[in-house]
Amino acid sequence: MREHEILMLLALAEAEAALKQGEFPVGCVLVHKGVVIASGKRAHSSGRVNEIDHAEMLALRSFLDAESGVASQEVTVYATMEPCLMCFSSLILNGFRKIVYAYEDVMGGGTSLPLTALNPLYAAMEIEVVPAVLRQESLALFQQFFSNPDNPYWRDSLLATYTLQQS
């Protein structure tokens, strides 16, 4: 198994934990030299829903709170779903330059944002994005989530329809 796959398994474990708690199954780990230095799983996608507690945002907050001294440019982000625009921009503004994800977010993914077409702050950034690492494993979690009638989060969305049509 390749390094990206091994590390994505750790993000998938976070996503599975979120799913077991009735949350949208997104997990994220921040890795420096092969070691997880921060992690997060989606919170508040059920009950009192908010769109701030994404797995990437919680991992980022944990990383920043730890004040580890590790340069964010040396950290790789592993997420079970393509980061949305909010998460993608927060990560790159905080200096992360390599993002690896499992499952594409056809509804809100932000990694295809044409940075070079934006203002100078973003246009100069060089970001490496590696898609589809353990995609099928992540897809299975999202299919399980969207197949459960007790999970109303994004139930009738483009993402739900797309996900349930995948094989």
Side-chain angles (χ1 to χ4, degrees), residues 66-92:
E67 297 181 15
S68 66
V70 173
S72 53
Q73 296 86 349
E74 298 174 5
V75 175
T76 301
V77 177
Y78 289 86
T80 59
M81 175 172 263
E82 177 185 6
C84 71
L85 186 57
M86 172 184 69
C87 293
F88 182 63
S89 60
S90 294
L91 289 166
I92 65 174

Side-chain angles (χ1 to χ4, degrees), residues 140-151 155 160 163-164:
L141 294 177
F142 288 105
Q143 287 176 328
Q144 184 178 344
F145 179 85
F146 285 126
S147 295
N148 182 345
D150 294 333
N151 293 325
R155 176 181 293 148
T163 298
L164 292 172

Side-chain angles (χ1 to χ4, degrees), residues 92 97 114-127:
I92 65 174
R97 295 296 179 258
L115 296 177
T116 56
L118 300 178
N119 291 327
L121 173 65
Y122 299 99
M125 292 182 181
E126 293 183 22
I127 311 299

Side-chain angles (χ1 to χ4, degrees), residues 2-60:
R2 298 186 345 238
E3 181 180 11
H4 283 329
E5 293 168 341
I6 292 167
L7 295 168
M8 185 61 75
L9 287 172
L10 301 174
L12 283 163
E14 292 287 332
E16 288 171 359
L19 184 62
K20 286 179 184 171
Q21 295 172 349
E23 299 288 351
F24 196 55
V26 181
C28 178
V29 295
L30 306 182
V31 177
H32 180 254
K33 297 183 179 178
V35 176
V36 174
I37 58 172
S39 63
K41 62 182 176 289
R42 181 64 163 100
H44 301 110
S45 63
S46 63
R48 188 172 161 208
V49 175
N50 79 54
E51 290 300 337
I52 298 170
D53 293 334
H54 289 198
E56 300 91 337
M57 299 299 283
L58 296 177
L60 175 59

